[in-house]
Each structure stands twice: as structure tokens, then as C-alpha cells.
């Protein structure tokens, strides 16, 4: 495999992971570039599981940038670009409004997760990695991956239930339920 073939094979996955972790297109592009610079400076042809190795480098770069920008991190919509790319298909106004509300709600939930939990959720659902690949990528035991994923989903479920409860109380006050 040539460097070009390696880049073409993993570029989209690395960028997508960077984007979901960093929630900023420019930062994602910069980190994606840095990941491949790092990969090509190493003896990558000797790596057995190249995908897990590249994703480990990706996560390390993302987590380093998140730590570096911890205090000045801007809250930007995490899945906004998905909606922009789907704009080509015509949808009803109701569908678009519902989609944006759902997207904003998921974005808010993901932003509230600690970085360690966000990393596992991103690799599992965005990167579509298996538990074993996530463990290999993050250099943590598979049991830790499972517990972090469980904890993240539990936190998100709890927040959704709280939001739903607040919404229902608002409906009751307005007399619209």
C-alpha cells in the first residue's frame, strides 16, 4: 500500500472522528493533517492493525487539543454539517424543524460528556469501531470501554429523561397536554 492509498483509505474516517471530537471543522482539518504527518513519519508498513493504530493517533491528537483548549473551547453545533449536506433532499418544514431540534438535543447531550466518555461514544457510533478496536485504539482494557460506553449512554438517557420531564411540566402549565 502506498502513502496515497493509505491516506485515501482512512482520510474520511479520521476527519469524521476529529470533527465529532473537536466540533470545529478547521480544528478537525488541522488535526487530520497532523495525524497523517505523524503516520507517514513512522514505519507504518510494519503495523499489523493499521486502522486501530491510526485511530489511536487520531484520538491522541484530538484529546491533546481538547486539553490544550479546555478553558477556551467554543460550543459549536456538532452535527450541523450533516444537515447542510442533507439539504439537497427536499423535506417538509415540520421534518426540518424536528430534525434540527433532535440534532440540537443530541449535540447538547454529547457536549456534556467528559472527554473520556465522548471518545468512546465517538469511536463506537461515529467511527463504527468494535469494542476490541476501541480498546486497542485508546490503550485501555475492553471492560473499561464497555463501562465507559455504558456510563455515557446512561448519562445521556438520564439527561433525556430530565429534559422530557421538564417539557411535560411545561405542557401541563400551558394546559396543552
Amino acid at each position: 500500500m502506498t502513502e496515497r492509498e493509505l491516506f485515501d483509505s482512512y482520510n474520511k474516517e479520521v476527519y469524521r472522528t476529529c470533527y465529532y471530537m473537536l466540533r470545529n471543522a478547521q480544528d478537525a482539518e488541522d488535526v487530520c493533517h497532523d495525524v497523517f504527518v505523524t503516520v507517514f513519519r513512522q514505519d507504518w508498513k510494519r503495523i499489523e492493525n493499521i486502522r486501530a493504530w491510526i485511530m489511536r493517533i487520531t484520538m491522541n491528537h484530538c484529546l491533546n487539543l481538547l486539553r490544550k483548549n479546555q478553558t477556551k473551547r467554543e460550543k459549536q453545533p456538532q452535527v450541523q454539517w450533516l444537515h447542510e449536506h442533507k439539504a439537497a433532499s427536499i423535506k417538509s418544514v415540520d421534518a426540518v424543524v424536528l430534525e434540527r431540534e433532535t440534532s440540537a438535543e443530541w449535540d447538547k447531550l454529547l457536549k456534556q460528556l467528559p472527554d473520556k466518555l465522548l471518545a468512546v461514544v465517538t469511536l463506537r457510533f461515529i467511527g463504527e469501531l468494535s469494542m476490541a478496536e476501541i480498546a486497542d485504539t485508546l490503550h485501555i482494557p475492553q471492560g473499561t470501554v464497555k463501562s465507559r460506553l455504558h456510563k455515557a449512554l446512561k448519562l445521556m438517557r438520564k439527561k433525556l429523561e430530565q429534559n422530557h420531564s421538564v417539557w411535560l411540566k411545561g405542557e401541563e402549565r400551558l394546559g396543552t397536554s
Side-chain angles (χ1 to χ4, degrees), residues 99-162:
E99 190 176 275
R100 285 189 181 172
E101 286 178 4
T102 303
S103 168
E105 189 170 15
W106 281 112
D107 184 50
K108 184 178 177 185
L109 289 171
L110 289 171
K111 285 179 185 176
Q112 294 174 0
L113 291 176
D115 292 341
K116 288 181 178 183
L117 301 182
L118 178 61
V120 172
V121 169
T122 301
L123 289 173
R124 181 70 181 118
F125 297 110
I126 307 305
E128 299 178 353
L129 271 65
S130 69
M131 298 291 184
E133 290 172 320
I134 295 170
D136 191 33
T137 298
L138 298 177
H139 284 289
I140 58 176
Q142 203 167 343
T144 304
V145 172
K146 290 177 183 178
S147 67
R148 286 182 184 176
L149 185 59
H150 176 76
K151 184 175 182 177
L153 295 175
K154 187 177 176 181
L155 283 170
M156 292 173 72
R157 186 178 306 114
K158 184 179 178 181
K159 292 287 185 184
L160 277 173
E161 288 170 356
Q162 288 173 349

Side-chain angles (χ1 to χ4, degrees), residues 165-176:
S165 174
V166 168
W167 180 78
L168 285 176
K169 287 179 183 175
E171 290 283 307
E172 288 173 2
R173 277 187 270 148
L174 294 173
T176 58

Side-chain angles (χ1 to χ4, degrees), residues 36-167:
F36 283 101
V37 167
T38 301
V39 166
F40 295 143
R41 286 184 178 165
Q42 305 296 318
D43 190 11
W44 58 271
K45 292 183 180 184
R46 292 182 177 222
I47 304 298
E48 287 182 37
N49 189 345
I50 193 92
R51 180 179 186 223
W53 181 68
I54 289 174
M55 294 312 292
R56 179 181 332 122
I57 292 170
T58 302
M59 292 307 297
N60 287 341
H61 279 277
C62 289
L63 291 171
N64 287 341
L65 185 62
L66 286 171
R67 275 187 226 111
K68 181 179 168 186
N69 296 332
Q70 190 72 32
T71 57
K72 60 183 178 178
R73 187 184 326 174
E74 294 182 17
K75 307 287 185 191
Q76 293 187 1
Q78 198 169 14
V79 291
Q80 179 180 353
W81 68 274
L82 285 174
H83 298 294
E84 293 170 359
H85 293 320
K86 289 181 181 179
S89 63
I90 300 173
K91 298 176 185 171
S92 71
V93 174
D94 291 341
V96 171
V97 169
L98 180 61
E99 190 176 275
R100 285 189 181 172
E101 286 178 4
T102 303
S103 168
E105 189 170 15
W106 281 112
D107 184 50
K108 184 178 177 185
L109 289 171
L110 289 171
K111 285 179 185 176
Q112 294 174 0
L113 291 176
D115 292 341
K116 288 181 178 183
L117 301 182
L118 178 61
V120 172
V121 169
T122 301
L123 289 173
R124 181 70 181 118
F125 297 110
I126 307 305
E128 299 178 353
L129 271 65
S130 69
M131 298 291 184
E133 290 172 320
I134 295 170
D136 191 33
T137 298
L138 298 177
H139 284 289
I140 58 176
Q142 203 167 343
T144 304
V145 172
K146 290 177 183 178
S147 67
R148 286 182 184 176
L149 185 59
H150 176 76
K151 184 175 182 177
L153 295 175
K154 187 177 176 181
L155 283 170
M156 292 173 72
R157 186 178 306 114
K158 184 179 178 181
K159 292 287 185 184
L160 277 173
E161 288 170 356
Q162 288 173 349
N163 292 347
H164 184 64
S165 174
V166 168
W167 180 78

